[in-house]
Amino acid sequence: MKLFEPATFGALPLSNRIVMAPLTRTRAGEHGVPNDLLVEHYAQRASLGLIVTEGTWPVQEGRSYPGQPGIETDEQIAGWRRVADAVHAAGGTIVMQLMHGGRVSHPSIAGTPRIVGPSAVAAPGQTHLADGSKADMPVPHELTTAEVQDAVQGFVQAARNAIAAGLDGVEVHGANGYLVHEFMSSTSNTRTDQYGGSPENRARFAIEVTTAIAEAIGADRTGIRLSPEHGIQGVIENDPADVLATYTALAEGLAPLGLAFVDVLHAEPTGELVQHIRRTVGAPFIVNSGFSALTTRDEAIALVDGDHADAVAAGRAAIANPDLAHRWEHDAELNDPRPELFYGQGAEGYTDYPTLAESRATATA
């Protein structure tokens, strides 16, 4: 089965076509420095074809959650170097997801006087602060046209830092309602300059960020994640014609780059919108339908063997099964995820899921 065969995405070697989806887990402490827990967690999962790290902030202003790691300071770079070294020692390939949270944050989380967005429109709802309390999402500072370019350069420096830390590449987080995605929707982007209004203008920031990173570290080490029609965190995309126009403009802008991969989260990965993006962008293509339901072995096999994707990303299945690729290849039993422990600070629910061999040894002891 093709799912279990090796592949090469740009400069990235994959031992199989099962990708660990980016997963927020909030274990990096107050200063966003990867610690022993992160080193162990990622190394445990090195047998997956490609690891995409949790969303990692490029600049302090872009931090969305307490405990989220960064890639801005020397200490953070050194911490990620330990992670990369451990994954490589175990035979794995790892790229960093660069996530500027944009308006999905709070000054007390980011540790900055402001948070930013494409427009002065707050995300809906509340966020959890470090002390456990909740606060309404604040109205962000609308980035000026010049500040948009500063944001692009923040992504570029973060990508350089990730490569300096030894990671194999980066993924731009253009999904799930964070800054890059906020620019794409007219509900979160009410600008009237070249970054707002038309679908082509709203796609511009994502194209500029990805292009600048590709120029800095190589397109063959650069990818992007998208989540069209996901409707999360107030980034609403419910006009099919506008969605098609926006993501066509985005895909056409990315196509000349020769990216390592494009990673799409959508409930219907075989549907026309997702497959149109794939055809238009012309890059190795990763799909993930598992945001609301656990990605299954049968689904993953069907998607890759049916040529709907070049690889499949799995989230919760990879959380619960560090040796997921081995288990799926041999159609073996799986650990169940423990959602109540997805977010936290300790090893429980993070590094304590057993491998298949450990489970069977315990069962026969």
Side-chain angles (χ1 to χ4, degrees):
M1 288 174 280
K2 194 175 177 181
L3 182 68
F4 306 109
E5 296 176 359
T8 301
F9 290 1
L12 309 174
L14 281 65
S15 58
N16 54 69
R17 295 161 187 259
I18 306 167
V19 176
M20 178 175 164
L23 300 158
T24 299
R25 306 302 301 282
T26 66
R27 260 75 170 189
E30 179 183 357
H31 301 293
V33 177
N35 51 35
D36 290 347
L37 275 175
L38 273 74
V39 172
E40 182 180 5
H41 172 77
Y42 285 112
Q44 285 175 338
R45 288 155 180 80
S47 61
L48 290 160
L50 176 67
I51 291 172
V52 183
T53 74
E54 61 208 281
T56 303
W57 41 273
V59 293
Q60 185 79 33
E61 197 171 64
R63 183 180 191 177
S64 285
Y65 305 108
Q68 182 188 7
I71 187 62
E72 186 176 21
T73 69
D74 290 343
E75 292 79 11
Q76 291 161 359
I77 294 169
W80 278 115
R81 185 175 296 113
R82 295 177 58 224
V83 172
D85 287 349
V87 170
H88 292 152
T93 300
I94 182 169
V95 299
M96 177 178 290
Q97 187 185 69
L98 299 178
M99 174 187 145
H100 190 308
R103 67 181 188 165
V104 182
S105 187
H106 191 278
S108 68
I109 295 172
T112 56
R114 67 180 194 180
I115 61 166
V116 302
S119 301
V121 179
Q126 296 183 311
T127 188
H128 291 269
L129 306 182
D131 63 5
S133 64
K134 291 183 179 181
D136 291 340
M137 291 288 194
V139 175
H141 164 75
E142 179 175 315
L143 292 166
T144 67
T145 306
E147 287 171 341
V148 171
Q149 289 305 306
D150 292 339
V152 171
Q153 292 309 309
F155 273 99
V156 170
Q157 186 57 53
R160 289 193 176 108
N161 291 348
I163 297 302
L167 284 94
D168 299 298
V170 303
E171 174 183 271
V172 176
H173 197 345
N176 293 6
Y178 300 111
L179 183 64
V180 174
H181 195 199
E182 289 163 15
F183 272 86
M184 292 188 224
S185 168
S186 59
T187 61
S188 47
N189 179 355
T190 61
R191 303 175 73 93
T192 57
D193 65 358
Q194 66 264 40
Y195 295 99
S198 69
E200 293 77 13
N201 282 358
R202 285 184 274 114
R204 189 184 306 276
F205 181 63
I207 295 168
E208 288 187 356
V209 168
T210 310
T211 299
I213 289 174
E215 290 173 351
I217 68 168
D220 58 353
R221 297 188 181 276
T222 303
I224 186 170
R225 172 166 259 223
L226 308 172
S227 61
E229 299 181 314
H230 194 24
I232 190 171
Q233 302 192 124
V235 177
I236 307 303
E237 298 169 313
N238 55 12
D239 179 343
D242 184 77
V243 170
L244 179 61
T246 302
Y247 283 88
T248 297
L250 175 58
E252 289 176 348
L254 298 176
L257 301 180
L259 294 176
F261 64 88
V262 172
D263 175 6
V264 175
L265 172 65
H266 195 279
E268 298 180 5
T270 64
E272 178 55 28
L273 174 63
V274 174
Q275 293 303 308
H276 170 70
I277 294 170
R278 183 190 188 191
R279 291 190 300 269
T280 305
V281 79
F285 203 67
I286 304 168
V287 297
N288 181 0
S289 66
F291 198 89
S292 59
L294 195 71
T295 302
T296 67
R297 175 184 187 269
D298 290 346
E299 178 190 20
I301 291 171
L303 285 168
V304 174
D305 285 18
D307 196 29
H308 301 294
D310 300 296
V312 171
R316 280 162 288 182
I319 288 175
N321 299 276
D323 56 343
L324 181 65
H326 175 78
R327 290 176 185 255
W328 272 3
E329 184 172 9
H330 297 279
D331 199 11
E333 64 269 22
L334 299 175
N335 299 322
D336 292 325
R338 290 172 280 166
E340 70 278 9
L341 299 172
F342 283 172
Y343 310 107
Q345 300 180 17
E348 189 179 12
Y350 192 61
T351 57
D352 62 347
Y353 285 103
T355 64
L356 180 63
E358 289 167 343
S359 295
R360 290 179 172 176
T362 300
T364 58

